[in-house]
Amino acid sequence: MGNNLKNQHYKNMGIMPQMLMYPFEAESVAYIVCEHYGFDSEDYSFPYIVGWVGTGFQDILKESMSTIQKTADEIITGVNQYFENNKN
């Protein structure tokens, strides 16, 4: 029911369905970065992702995979470089 109300709200506000991709992609990137550094966010991330895109997230994941991978890699590389450059 929550997804139906949310979807109707977005439809009423004239928000394109692509806008739903942004929270999905952001949470997916956060999950990959957290996993890379040893933080377990699975219990939070997966329900959040399914809450945004429903059970068909595999199809959306296929569309977003390159963006998710590229962004996660840029963040991980940037964090690693920051700590490498700021060693005591």
Side-chain angles (χ1 to χ4, degrees), residues 5 8 16 59 62 66 75 84 86:
L5 290 175
Q8 186 61 44
M16 300 297 290
D59 293 334
K62 288 177 189 174
S66 68
I75 292 170
E84 183 65 31
N86 292 290

Side-chain angles (χ1 to χ4, degrees), residues 30-85:
Y31 173 76
I32 291 170
V33 172
C34 285
E35 284 293 312
H36 177 81
Y37 290 109
F39 297 104
D40 182 14
S41 66
E42 185 173 316
D43 289 343
Y44 172 80
S45 292
F46 289 140
Y48 182 86
I49 290 168
V50 171
W52 269 102
V53 296
T55 56
F57 73 93
Q58 292 89 349
D59 293 334
I60 294 172
L61 181 61
K62 288 177 189 174
E63 294 176 29
S64 297
M65 186 55 74
S66 68
T67 299
I68 292 167
Q69 289 175 327
K70 179 181 176 203
T71 305
D73 182 58
E74 289 173 358
I75 292 170
I76 291 168
T77 298
V79 169
N80 289 344
Q81 286 176 349
Y82 173 82
F83 284 109
E84 183 65 31
N85 293 335

